[in-house]
Amino acid sequence: MEQHERLWELMAKRTAGSLSPAEEMELEVLLEASPEAARQQALLDKVSLQSTGKPTPERKEMLLDRIMGGIAAGESREALPVVSENSIPVRRGRWRIMAAASLLLLLGAAMVLYLRTSTSTNAVVWSTVQTRPGSKTRITLPDGTLVMLNAGSTLSYPSNFAKSGRVVKLTGEGYFDVTRMPNDPFVIHTNTIDIKVLGTTFNVRAYADESHTETALISGAVEVTVKDGGKQHITLSPKQKLLVANTITDTAKPATTARPDELKPLIVLESIEKEHGGNQIAETAWVDNRFVYRNETFLQLIKRMERWYGITIECHNQSLLQTSFTGNVQGESLDQLLGMLKQTKQFEYNVTAGKVFIH
Amino acid sequence: MWISGLAYLTKAIFINGNAIHNHLQMQDLLEKIYRDNDQLAFRQLFLQYSDRLIVFAASLLPSREEAEEAVSDVFVKIWQNRAGLATVRNLNTYLYTAVRNTACNYRISAGRMPEILTGEYIQVAVNTMAASPEDMLISKENLRKIESAINLLPSRCKLIFRLVKEDGLKYREVAEILEVSINTVNTQMAIALKKLGEVIDIRQHFGWME
């Protein structure tokens, strides 16, 4: 048996081409003694490996474009003290890379990661605040602007934030109360749109896994620039909201899952409506810890519940997925919410190994 | 060390046919990048290496998207620090190590421990470079058995075996990239060869069963 182990050890060395002449002779003797193993190995030598999952040529070109974009942004940043508005690709990875946990503002149950990035000595350092699914946090920026960050979201801002123009990057959802500074616009970059504001209150919802990026203005004025589609500018008035399709940036999603909300046109401007029988609006309900859903399919709700409660939901009830639900809860548990949803359309659910299964 | 100073006696069955040819081309390409700031050469470098590096990153990160992102980040940094390419002595270990470090940082940022994951599914075929006409008749049944056994190897063993056999890396390169000893690489290779050899039914060698 031990001899057998030695055989494999020598075979491995042979693969590396590092057998000494003595070892080579030893191996020859061992292989003669076990002809079956010898033939198996000879056969194995003739096999070549091919990993699946390599990117297509088109995908590689796209990655190259992103790399070149990242390089261009880096170089323009070194050349100009002011961060140029259009050349910043919103890329989660770059801010996450260089981590040095530092002081952080931790609120409630929020799990927040505060990361500092430093690419080169004179480059701008970006600070990143990240919330996990199931938690929210509140951030006060150096200029006094207040940001509430919803679950599963990321907000970054540069070290020279107040000095060189107020710029932040957002993925996920944030509620902004921007400090008014007439000569110093505040700019939010998302994957799909850039939002420029002077001083105002509004909500931005830019989750990568949703079909649209939504900007809802509560007061003041904002100007939205759509990155693709000819850099359209749209100015919002209070109580208006703008929906911009994420289609171009959204490459990872399989095209087969046609959802009703994907049938919406690319850009929609509509007014914000008060919630039924009240003075509140649904777009910012999450800030008050209210989970509001209006005419949303169960498929959409699953994603939101996963983020809101930080759990995984598996739905095996196909007809349920396309059923629409309307309602709201405040500070309820997932159990209570599912209980409420069940009243609209009957379904069964159970929780196993930290996962919710719906039948 | 037993590996150093020994001539490479056996033919490089596992290495892509044009490995040596590539080496000079690579030096040329690198020079163009760090000396002439040649972006086209840089693009070529990416196109040459991105497949291997993304598949490698997929063994360290849970999603393909993150794997692509890690490799993209590495290339952005390579361009930014392109002067440093002049001192690179082994491009393989340089690139793979950069990807490994970036992937580890992603994991740490996400509050996770760096670890080796199962990675991408590996397919097997008869190596037309090394096979004689009779060998082309390796039965489908045996190929299927080898393929399933490869994909069932423990993740670290699978990764090491794949880096050697598919990417053509040398043991000492694998050892350096994964920060393990050459002995560990040799042991893992031995385990892989043993497990894969054992599943082969030599009576089916010539594919009579088909």
Side-chain angles (χ1 to χ4, degrees):
Chain A
M1 203 60 218
E2 207 164 89
Q3 274 203 339
H4 240 81
E5 299 305 323
R6 179 71 181 152
L7 171 72
W8 306 117
E9 199 188 318
L10 291 172
M11 284 302 292
K13 278 195 181 186
R14 198 193 67 128
T15 307
S18 63
L19 282 179
S20 69
E23 283 171 333
E24 218 174 331
M25 281 177 65
E26 188 187 348
L27 178 60
E28 220 166 285
V29 173
L30 283 171
L31 284 175
E32 257 168 49
S34 47
E36 188 162 331
R39 296 190 65 185
Q40 285 166 339
Q41 289 303 312
L43 226 143
L44 198 54
D45 277 355
K46 313 268 161 56
V47 162
S48 72
L49 274 54
Q50 189 69 254
S51 283
T52 56
K54 288 175 182 161
T56 60
E58 295 79 33
R59 182 88 185 141
K60 278 192 240 178
E61 285 300 326
M62 202 217 81
L63 289 172
L64 255 172
D65 286 347
R66 248 168 52 183
I67 291 166
M68 294 320 223
I71 289 166
E75 285 177 354
S76 71
R77 225 179 296 156
E78 280 159 32
L80 306 166
V82 179
V83 178
S84 110
E85 264 176 48
N86 291 324
S87 63
I88 301 171
V90 180
R91 299 186 38 224
R92 284 174 302 127
R94 297 209 46 204
W95 331 329
R96 270 194 329 220
I97 299 171
M98 289 132 297
S102 175
L103 281 176
L104 52 87
L105 275 165
L106 222 161
L107 221 101
M111 180 60 209
V112 181
L113 288 171
Y114 180 90
L115 313 173
R116 307 214 88 196
T117 63
S118 61
T119 38
S120 70
T121 44
N122 58 348
V124 175
V125 178
W126 287 80
S127 303
T128 298
V129 180
Q130 204 173 6
T131 53
R132 298 218 164 146
S135 62
K136 305 184 189 73
T137 192
R138 177 197 296 264
I139 307 145
T140 308
L141 294 171
D143 67 338
T145 292
L146 183 80
V147 186
M148 285 287 296
L149 202 57
N150 204 349
S153 304
T154 307
L155 184 87
S156 313
Y157 57 95
S159 53
N160 54 356
F161 178 77
K163 272 176 243 147
S164 66
R166 302 186 288 169
V167 181
V168 299
K169 302 180 200 177
L170 172 77
T171 47
E173 185 165 23
Y175 173 86
F176 291 80
D177 190 348
V178 174
T179 305
R180 192 168 169 77
M181 293 167 92
N183 298 320
D184 195 1
F186 187 100
V187 179
I188 299 164
H189 294 286
T190 75
N191 255 323
T192 308
I193 56 172
D194 294 336
I195 304 158
K196 192 162 138 187
V197 303
L198 290 170
T200 161
T201 316
F202 59 100
N203 192 73
V204 184
R205 180 161 160 184
Y207 284 111
D209 62 354
E210 291 186 341
S211 68
H212 286 68
T213 297
E214 180 192 276
T215 313
L217 184 63
I218 312 302
S219 67
V222 302
E223 185 191 89
V224 175
T225 306
V226 182
K227 289 184 166 177
D228 295 309
K231 306 252 176 286
Q232 263 195 81
H233 298 283
I234 298 143
T235 306
L236 292 192
S237 310
K239 313 285 176 231
Q240 276 189 327
K241 70 171 177 178
L242 180 74
L243 291 157
V244 179
N246 295 335
T247 40
I248 294 152
T249 48
D250 207 356
T251 49
K253 196 185 334 177
T256 45
T257 55
R259 266 166 275 150
D261 61 347
E262 276 171 355
L263 302 174
K264 273 184 196 162
L266 293 180
I267 299 177
V268 193
L269 183 65
E270 56 188 38
S271 53
I272 300 173
E273 274 162 33
K274 295 244 160 59
E275 271 175 62
H276 189 67
N279 231 352
Q280 295 165 306
I281 60 168
E283 282 74 11
T284 57
W286 67 271
V287 177
D288 305 320
N289 214 18
R290 287 190 304 127
F291 188 92
V292 178
Y293 45 100
R294 287 180 311 180
N295 208 18
E296 280 178 64
T297 63
F298 200 71
L299 192 61
Q300 292 170 309
L301 273 176
I302 284 177
K303 266 196 228 166
R304 289 187 55 205
M305 289 190 288
E306 285 183 327
R307 268 202 297 271
W308 189 266
Y309 293 103
I311 40 105
T312 307
I313 300 174
E314 244 178 60
C315 182
H316 299 285
N317 182 336
Q318 287 304 319
S319 68
L320 184 62
L321 287 174
Q322 298 308 330
T323 309
S324 293
F325 292 83
T326 299
N328 75 81
V329 294
Q330 180 160 18
E332 307 275 9
S333 68
L334 176 64
D335 214 37
Q336 286 164 310
L337 174 56
L338 287 171
M340 269 188 72
L341 293 173
K342 267 171 70 171
Q343 291 171 8
T344 306
K345 188 169 193 297
Q346 187 54 40
F347 60 85
E348 294 302 322
Y349 68 93
N350 57 56
V351 184
T352 318
K355 244 186 187 178
V356 180
F357 293 90
I358 291 169
H359 315 283
Chain B
M1 272 313 218
W2 48 265
I3 195 150
S4 58
L6 282 164
Y8 288 94
L9 297 168
T10 42
K11 53 182 175 175
I13 297 164
F14 305 126
I15 298 174
N16 301 328
N18 47 0
I20 292 164
H21 184 51
N22 265 346
H23 181 71
L24 293 170
Q25 279 185 336
M26 260 323 145
Q27 281 305 324
D28 207 37
L29 210 57
L30 291 186
E31 271 183 31
K32 279 187 184 155
I33 296 169
Y34 66 76
R35 221 186 31 213
D36 312 332
N37 299 325
D38 185 339
Q39 289 209 7
L40 266 178
F42 178 73
R43 292 178 79 94
Q44 242 179 304
L45 180 73
F46 176 83
L47 292 175
Q48 290 254 12
Y49 268 93
S50 51
D51 277 355
R52 283 180 264 177
L53 295 177
I54 288 168
V55 171
F56 175 55
S59 296
L60 307 172
L61 292 166
S63 75
R64 186 172 309 173
E65 207 194 1
E66 278 175 280
E68 290 178 350
E69 207 168 74
V71 172
S72 301
D73 281 338
V74 164
F75 274 86
V76 169
K77 273 194 246 160
I78 285 176
W79 179 263
Q80 284 168 344
N81 307 317
R82 56 192 174 279
L85 288 176
T87 58
V88 172
R89 294 181 61 194
N90 183 328
L91 190 59
N92 276 341
T93 51
Y94 180 76
L95 292 174
Y96 280 82
T97 306
V99 169
R100 175 182 175 268
N101 289 342
T102 304
C104 285
N105 283 336
Y106 276 23
R107 295 290 280 177
I108 292 164
S109 303
R112 296 242 159 78
M113 288 298 288
E115 60 181 318
I116 293 173
L117 310 167
T118 314
E120 299 285 0
Y121 185 80
I122 298 173
Q123 291 174 332
V124 300
V126 179
N127 184 353
T128 46
M129 295 287 297
S132 64
E134 307 91 75
D135 294 326
M136 302 302 283
L137 296 170
I138 292 175
S139 74
K140 281 197 179 130
E141 182 58 20
N142 271 332
L143 278 181
R144 195 192 55 74
K145 282 180 182 167
I146 296 169
E147 183 169 305
S148 107
I150 286 177
N151 287 292
L152 288 172
L153 290 174
S155 49
R156 189 168 72 144
C157 185
K158 179 183 167 187
L159 175 63
I160 289 173
F161 185 70
R162 198 191 66 69
L163 287 175
V164 171
K165 269 210 107 173
E166 188 180 0
D167 294 358
L169 296 183
K170 304 197 169 71
Y171 284 18
R172 71 179 144 74
E173 292 176 327
V174 175
E176 191 180 330
I177 292 160
L178 299 179
E179 288 183 346
V180 296
S181 69
I182 294 179
N183 257 325
T184 303
V185 176
N186 205 65
T187 308
Q188 294 300 318
M189 284 300 291
I191 291 171
L193 289 176
K194 180 181 176 193
K195 285 197 175 174
L196 301 182
E198 280 170 358
V199 301
I200 297 172
D201 184 349
I202 48 167
R203 283 164 306 170
Q204 290 184 357
H205 185 163
F206 295 108
W208 297 328
M209 312 299 281
E210 281 168 50

